[in-house]
Amino acid sequence: MKTTVTAIALTSVFSLALAACNSPAADKPAAPADTAPVAEQAAQQPASAPVSAAEEEAAMAGRSARAVFPVGFRGNWDYSDDGCAKDESGTRFAITENQIKGYEDTSTLTALEALDDLTIRVVLDNQSSDGDVTLTQTLRLSPVAGINLRIEQKGETVLAHRCDKV
């Protein structure tokens, strides 16, 4: 009789073990016994930079979220009234898709915010012989075919003239 009771007990244990293996909970790995609280784990994780809506939209569409100057701002410009008439001018600069290239410096666009149809605020990484700095500027196109560009920086405004035909 003792053998029958032992056989029944072993069969019951075997059945329970088999049932546990087939349950959905068995698919999940067991949590380690020595886990830190969630807040402590979160504090140990490196913080990620916030993602702008444009970056998120670009990522969802599978394209780069790299900032680019709107087409109306691109082209050749000169700070001097007659600079565009000269073959070479030390006050001329070109705005490309993502850079402003001047006589002695190059600024790479890192961020852009459209304020209205003719105005943008930009953050630029500027490299020049004087050193590397980060600039924040507001660029405003004139409403008359974008023939002038007002560049505001640190409370000062400079006017540039478009050298390209419009």
Side-chain angles (χ1 to χ4, degrees):
M1 174 132 168
K2 196 173 198 180
T3 308
T4 307
V5 172
T6 305
I8 293 172
L10 286 175
T11 305
S12 296
V13 169
F14 180 74
S15 297
L16 287 173
L18 185 60
C21 289
N22 291 330
S23 73
D27 295 338
K28 296 179 185 172
D34 187 27
T35 59
V38 175
E40 187 178 324
Q41 287 178 352
Q44 294 172 356
Q45 298 289 329
S48 62
V51 177
S52 72
E55 290 171 327
E56 185 175 357
E57 181 182 333
M60 298 286 278
R63 62 183 194 275
S64 170
R66 182 176 56 114
V68 295
F69 283 103
V71 174
F73 290 84
R74 298 179 203 171
N76 293 300
W77 301 87
D78 203 300
Y79 293 117
S80 174
D81 289 337
D82 63 343
C84 292
K86 299 176 184 176
D87 287 337
E88 289 188 32
S89 170
T91 55
R92 188 168 304 150
F93 63 95
I95 299 178
T96 66
E97 184 178 90
N98 62 356
Q99 288 186 325
I100 299 177
K101 296 179 180 183
Y103 179 70
E104 294 181 340
D105 62 342
T106 299
S107 296
T108 302
L109 182 63
T110 59
L112 182 142
E113 175 187 7
L115 302 178
D116 61 39
D117 291 344
L118 299 172
T119 309
I120 57 175
R121 181 176 298 126
V122 296
V123 177
L124 305 161
D125 285 338
N126 180 268
Q127 296 177 341
S128 73
S129 57
D130 294 334
D132 299 349
V133 295
T134 298
L135 307 172
T136 301
Q137 298 177 336
T138 301
L139 308 177
R140 296 182 201 285
L141 283 174
S142 68
V144 182
I147 57 173
N148 291 321
L149 178 67
R150 295 188 185 285
I151 303 169
E152 298 174 23
Q153 180 178 312
K154 295 182 182 178
E156 295 183 19
T157 302
V158 178
L159 181 66
H161 308 280
R162 184 181 293 277
C163 295
D164 305 320
K165 302 246 190 269
V166 241

